[in-house]
Amino acid sequence: MRFLLAFLVSVTLLATGCGVGNGRVPQKFVGSASFPPAVTMLAPANAPVGSPGFTLTVVGSNFGSDTVVFWNGNPVSTTIVNSKEVMAQISTTNLQDAGFVPIFVRTGGQNSNTINFDVLIQ
């Protein structure tokens, strides 16, 4: 079923041209069932416990227009930069306890891999 959906999207994009390119080369449908999101890097990768809030940059691939960053399993305010980068607002409340915090993104109904953010003991 997933393959069929990706195939139909590719055929539709090829037939319509989707306003990108010359219509002869199928465009990759970012965030589709065939291309799950992946997280490769967090910037910063850590912060001291009790730090003030900040903007976390999440770098990866296949981020769609509905991408949301999850901090410890909870969605946080997310700004999409492009298909390889999103920014998430991390609050002071998120930094109250030291330890590793799992970070992942969800787009197109699919979760990415998880990378740990380190809230450092002072």
Side-chain angles (χ1 to χ4, degrees):
M1 182 67 178
R2 288 182 181 182
F3 175 77
L4 179 60
L5 176 62
F7 176 76
L8 291 175
V9 169
S10 293
V11 169
T12 301
L13 293 176
L14 179 61
T16 63
C18 73
V20 179
N22 59 17
R24 287 183 266 165
V25 178
Q27 303 296 314
K28 177 179 169 184
F29 185 74
V30 175
S32 75
S34 295
F35 303 102
V39 174
T40 56
M41 185 182 85
L42 303 175
N46 59 60
V49 69
S51 295
F54 65 95
T55 301
L56 174 69
T57 300
V58 180
V59 178
S61 58
N62 301 322
F63 298 163
S65 61
D66 64 341
T67 300
V68 176
V69 174
F70 283 76
W71 174 277
N72 203 24
N74 299 304
V76 294
S77 178
T78 304
T79 301
I80 299 161
V81 177
N82 55 46
S83 66
K84 296 180 181 184
E85 184 177 322
V86 295
M87 296 184 303
Q89 297 305 309
I90 307 305
S91 69
T92 301
T93 305
N94 294 129
L95 301 166
Q96 289 181 348
D97 299 316
F100 290 114
V101 179
I103 307 295
F104 67 91
V105 301
R106 180 177 295 154
T107 188
Q110 296 186 75
N111 293 345
S112 70
N113 59 304
T114 300
I115 293 185
N116 286 325
F117 182 90
D118 192 3
V119 180
L120 304 166
I121 297 172
Q122 289 188 4

